[in-house]
Amino acid sequence: MTDRAYRAAPADALRVEPLGDLTAIFDRRSMQTHLVVAPMPEILAALDAGPCNAAELAARLADRFDLDGEGDAAALLAERLNELSVMGLVEPA
């Protein structure tokens, strides 16, 4: 299976509001509000720099968080990217 690249929804499509440990993400396109926890908001923020796959995302997040940028981190981020895709917050690039 290939490591699919994703891009974030357009910035004006989402309203992101931190609520303590939760983050509310309102998608203006679908009129749905998603309640998420870390690392979902951080993933969306990292995708603002442009489309990337899970391995590239791990490298982007490694500088900010305690990640090795490879292996397990990339596999876990691939799962999170898939979840965000199902919610409609990211799409394949």
Side-chain angles (χ1 to χ4, degrees):
M1 183 171 153
T2 61
D3 191 6
R4 173 180 279 176
Y6 290 90
R7 73 172 138 257
D12 62 347
L14 304 179
R15 179 174 176 176
V16 180
E17 292 292 332
L19 305 169
D21 290 340
L22 296 174
T23 299
I25 303 174
F26 177 67
D27 186 341
R28 291 179 175 95
R29 302 164 302 169
S30 67
M31 302 299 289
Q32 291 184 328
T33 300
H34 306 277
L35 293 176
V36 299
V37 297
M40 300 303 208
E42 293 80 5
I43 290 170
L44 290 173
L47 287 173
D48 285 344
C52 67
N53 61 27
E56 294 164 336
L57 180 60
R60 287 182 190 179
L61 293 173
D63 292 335
R64 184 168 175 204
F65 301 99
D66 187 20
L67 300 174
D68 63 11
E70 299 177 4
D72 290 340
L76 292 171
L77 288 170
E79 292 175 18
R80 300 298 81 79
L81 284 167
N82 185 56
E83 291 170 5
L84 287 167
S85 177
V86 169
M87 288 187 264
L89 301 176
V90 302
E91 58 188 35

